[in-house]
Amino acid sequence: ADRTERGAVENRHPTVKPTDLMRYLCRLVTPPGGVVLDPFAGSGTTLSVATGHGHDATGIDLDERNRDLAYQRIGPLMWEEV
């Protein structure tokens, strides 16, 4: 992903995906109104795209830095820590 797709937050996550690609993949495999599960949420690109296009989304990541980065990028859309 280029600099503009990494968001306003300083995003140094090594595998930020292009939003167009993730939008395409979410629509390809998720029915309208479906739920997107991202078990390696990283910086939150998939979660951001999914929730921005009418899907519910759940993301999981073990690294607190990734969680914090995703939170900064997408805000408390439907945030819950467990």
Side-chain angles (χ1 to χ4, degrees), residues 46-82:
T46 304
L47 302 175
S48 176
V49 167
T51 55
H53 287 85
H55 299 296
D56 287 332
T58 298
I60 302 165
D61 204 292
L62 293 176
D63 190 329
E64 287 183 17
R65 293 170 296 185
N66 290 341
R67 181 204 60 213
D68 294 343
L69 180 57
Y71 183 83
Q72 289 174 20
R73 284 186 74 202
I74 63 177
L77 296 173
M78 294 173 68
W79 201 264
E80 178 181 346
E81 286 189 41
V82 257

Side-chain angles (χ1 to χ4, degrees), residues 10-69:
E10 180 63 24
N11 187 348
R12 295 178 188 251
H13 192 275
T15 61
V16 176
K17 310 298 185 291
T19 54
D20 287 343
L21 171 64
M22 298 318 296
R23 184 177 303 112
Y24 170 75
L25 293 174
C26 285
R27 283 191 277 183
L28 181 68
V29 300
T30 309
V35 178
V36 173
L37 172 63
D38 187 354
F40 306 100
S43 64
T45 302
T46 304
L47 302 175
S48 176
V49 167
T51 55
H53 287 85
H55 299 296
D56 287 332
T58 298
I60 302 165
D61 204 292
L62 293 176
D63 190 329
E64 287 183 17
R65 293 170 296 185
N66 290 341
R67 181 204 60 213
D68 294 343
L69 180 57

